[in-house]
Amino acid sequence: MQLHGRSLIAGQRASASAAQRLQFHAINPAEGVRLEPAFYEATAGDIEQAVDAAAQAQDNLVTVTPQVRGRFLREIAWAIESLGEELIQRCRAETGLPEARLAGERKRTVNQLVMFAELVEEGSWVDARIDLGRPQRSPVPKPDLRRMLMPIGPIAVFGASNFPLAFSVAGGDTASALAAGNPVIVKAHPCHPGTSELVGEAIRHAAAQAALPPGVFSLLQGAGTHVGTGLVTHPGLRAVGFTGSQRAGLALYTAAAARPTPIPVYAEMGSTNPLFILPGALQSSSAELAAGLAESATLGVGQFCTQPGVVFVLKCPEREPWIEKAGAAIQSRPWGVMLSAQIAEAYETAVSQLEEIDGVNRVSTAGHSPSAPEHRESDGAETTAAVTGRPRAYVTDFKTYVSAPALQAEVFGPSTVFVRVENAHEMLAAARSVEGQLTATIHASTDELREQHALRIALERSAGRVVYNGFPTGVEVCPSMQHGGPYPAATYSQFTSVGSAAILRFARPVCFQNAPEQVLPPALQNANPRNLLRLIDGNPTRTAVTAADP
């Protein structure tokens, strides 16, 4: 498929007059070379056209059955798979990610789409609730009340840098918003615009195959902030899905809140994902714990939002040798290509700030040789990858940790800080001091877990997912997953951006009072034509409502 470098607006490519539009290029981070073609920045007119088309599509989507929505999602999955090797190679060139990782991520993307297709086809996610009227009730008649979740309208989705497929154009935000019955406008990430165009074309094709209005999907390209800000502040938009940095997420959140009619920005903004290590874990599995931590901390060059960035270790005889072993294991892991020069530069700045803090020291690598960066061939000459990230491990004490804000901030890259904790009181204080997190992890013996009730409660309050004797990297896509947490990990701790519950962000409850049967949505009709699991007078059932029930 030839790349055109243009935004896709309601089934059509935007015009590409070089005299009227700014241009930008994707950069291969492994080789530092510019990739063709040039991409054209979306204009204010493009944003207006995309949102207007989405609003028109929303009116038509009201009548689209869940079966058609499910078919649409399956068509997207099929179209993405049909892109084959072309998608993987373009994505690899734009991100530096290995082919195996991208193939796995594509499979996850396809599986997410199918999962949401199955969810909407079954239909009970709409949470239909019926309280039958009692007109003879005394002293006040009881009205007939029926409530269900319904789509909220046009959604803006922002592609993430670190997951160019699973959290991007056809990722979980887009899939869940489309599944709920909303049109979607995606702001492509400027690090992988070609990948975004390929997937955007797949969605456009799927919409046509499902005979849906073209405004159901648009893709806007842009390297600056004006496209995202213009989109979020457009009065026709109803919500935003975002995965990325705290700075960018808060900028969008602030812009959306300042609108005459504020809208929610469901932003997942990362965290330090603290680990709490108790003596029992070091005594029983010291070597395995060090190796597992090194793998988790450096996976994907540390560019996962669930990367464990801080490890609190309770005092015991095994602590100091274990910190040396685990820190050396981290720092001996291979350097890797980071997603962009900007991300690599930000990583170096962040670790430089850590090294300037009094009381923070690099973990010794005595006896371990840090792996050198990979070398690649480019135009016949060997060059060192310009945007590599070198794993680093630091050690400090709890007093220094709580007094230095830089130690409590996320470092996006393969860096981990070990914090020496002197007693159980300090460990509990550490758990209570961490800000909102996507994950928190405890490594402990069974007896210790039983005894550490207060520690467990503290972590349940601060994290969206609590991991026991494992590692947080690796997010399973399933109904029970929670990927989100208290601020600043996310803007709304009640919701998740991964798993089938992600659909709840893009729907709102509507109640019908004393509505005639013929105007009710099928999910609320007496006959229950879709055989949904519904709550009728407080009782979950799939049975129909008969005329004699009231």
Side-chain angles (χ1 to χ4, degrees):
M1 182 184 298
Q2 181 182 357
L3 294 176
H4 297 273
R6 308 182 197 179
S7 297
L8 302 173
I9 302 175
Q12 301 294 322
R13 294 192 184 99
S15 62
S17 170
Q20 298 176 359
R21 294 177 181 269
L22 298 174
Q23 298 181 28
F24 67 99
H25 285 78
I27 303 296
N28 184 322
E31 300 174 357
V33 297
R34 191 174 74 173
L35 298 172
E36 296 297 336
F39 287 83
Y40 297 88
E41 295 262 357
T43 65
D46 294 334
I47 296 170
E48 189 74 27
Q49 185 180 350
V51 179
D52 287 349
Q56 295 176 26
Q58 185 71 68
D59 294 338
N60 293 326
L61 288 175
V62 173
T63 62
V64 170
T65 67
Q67 286 69 31
V68 172
R69 295 210 300 271
R71 178 192 170 194
F72 176 36
L73 294 169
R74 294 178 190 276
E75 289 280 359
I76 296 173
W78 179 85
I80 290 173
E81 286 188 318
S82 298
L83 290 170
E85 190 67 13
E86 179 182 8
L87 176 63
I88 298 299
Q89 292 306 319
R90 179 69 192 196
C91 195
R92 181 173 181 266
E94 291 184 328
T95 65
L97 295 172
E99 291 184 30
R101 150 74 191 273
L102 293 173
E105 189 178 330
R106 176 172 60 185
K107 187 63 176 177
R108 170 178 168 172
T109 304
V110 167
N111 288 344
Q112 285 178 158
L113 289 160
V114 174
M115 176 190 71
F116 282 111
E118 293 172 346
L119 183 73
V120 298
E121 288 163 353
E122 192 282 327
S124 295
W125 77 272
V126 299
D127 191 25
R129 298 165 180 250
I130 298 174
D131 283 280
L132 299 170
R134 299 288 188 270
Q136 305 304 320
R137 188 183 68 176
S138 179
V140 179
K142 178 186 176 184
D144 184 277
L145 296 169
R146 306 185 181 213
R147 176 188 186 271
M148 66 176 288
L149 295 174
M150 303 189 75
I152 61 176
I155 308 296
V157 170
F158 286 75
S161 64
N162 57 340
F163 281 87
L165 299 175
F167 276 90
S168 192
V169 176
D173 288 346
T174 297
S176 55
L178 293 174
N182 304 290
V184 171
I185 304 165
V186 173
K187 164 60 177 67
H189 198 283
C191 284
H192 49 260
T195 302
S196 298
E197 182 178 329
L198 289 172
V199 177
E201 289 283 3
I203 299 177
R204 179 172 73 162
H205 173 79
Q209 291 295 108
L212 292 176
V216 72
F217 174 77
S218 292
L219 173 71
L220 301 178
Q221 298 279 8
T225 60
H226 65 282
V227 177
T229 302
L231 183 57
V232 169
T233 56
H234 192 288
L237 204 69
R238 292 293 175 263
V240 176
F242 171 85
T243 298
S245 69
Q246 184 176 350
R247 178 189 58 79
L250 289 182
L252 296 176
Y253 181 84
T254 301
R259 294 168 31 135
T261 303
I263 59 173
V265 175
Y266 297 107
E268 184 269 284
M269 301 181 290
S271 62
T272 60
N273 304 293
L275 271 66
F276 294 80
I277 311 293
L278 301 184
L282 298 184
Q283 293 162 4
S284 64
S285 55
S286 171
E288 295 85 352
L289 184 53
L293 175 60
E295 171 71 22
S296 181
T298 61
L299 186 66
V301 201
Q303 298 169 118
F304 283 12
C305 51
T306 52
Q307 188 262 1
V310 59
V311 181
F312 297 97
V313 191
L314 189 59
K315 185 177 182 179
C316 65
E318 295 81 7
R319 182 178 69 181
E320 295 309 311
W322 182 81
I323 289 177
E324 283 195 25
K325 179 189 298 183
I330 290 172
Q331 295 181 125
S332 64
R333 297 281 294 176
W335 302 15
V337 176
M338 302 196 80
L339 293 161
S340 71
Q342 293 82 2
I343 288 173
E345 182 180 354
Y347 173 63
E348 291 299 326
T349 299
V351 293
S352 295
Q353 291 174 346
L354 296 182
E355 294 176 355
E356 292 173 359
I357 300 171
D358 289 338
V360 175
N361 299 294
R362 287 279 293 274
V363 176
S364 170
T365 57
H368 297 265
S369 299
S371 299
E374 296 180 0
H375 290 270
R376 296 177 181 271
E377 295 293 328
S378 177
D379 297 329
E382 188 181 74
T383 60
T384 301
V387 291
T388 53
R390 179 177 181 175
R392 293 174 172 89
Y394 302 92
V395 62
T396 189
D397 56 37
F398 180 61
K399 182 178 179 180
T400 302
Y401 172 82
V402 296
S403 64
L407 288 170
Q408 301 167 44
E410 179 189 27
V411 175
F412 192 66
S415 168
T416 296
V417 176
F418 294 88
V419 181
R420 296 186 179 104
V421 178
E422 297 309 304
N423 51 53
H425 175 75
E426 264 193 7
M427 184 67 94
L428 182 58
R432 290 172 173 170
S433 71
V434 296
E435 296 183 308
Q437 304 289 328
L438 293 174
T439 72
T441 300
I442 305 176
H443 282 268
S445 68
T446 301
D447 289 341
E448 287 172 330
L449 290 176
R450 188 181 299 113
E451 296 166 358
Q452 293 294 331
H453 178 74
L455 176 63
R456 291 187 284 107
I457 294 299
L459 297 184
E460 290 166 9
R461 289 174 177 168
S462 65
R465 176 163 56 107
V466 181
V467 181
Y468 288 90
N469 293 324
F471 297 97
T473 44
V475 179
E476 187 70 24
V477 181
C478 63
S480 56
M481 176 51 64
Q482 174 62 27
H483 192 61
Y487 181 87
T491 48
Y492 293 90
S493 63
Q494 308 95 313
F495 297 96
T496 177
S497 63
V498 175
S500 58
I503 197 173
L504 301 177
R505 298 170 298 169
F506 305 121
R508 68 179 182 89
V510 176
C511 180
F512 300 81
Q513 181 168 328
N514 293 333
E517 177 81 3
Q518 61 269 26
V519 305
L520 287 171
L524 297 177
Q525 292 173 5
N526 286 339
N528 193 15
R530 300 196 56 221
N531 192 34
L532 305 182
L533 181 63
R534 307 187 297 184
L535 200 66
I536 299 179
D537 286 338
N539 299 306
T541 179
R542 292 184 186 272
T543 60
V545 175
T546 66
D549 284 341

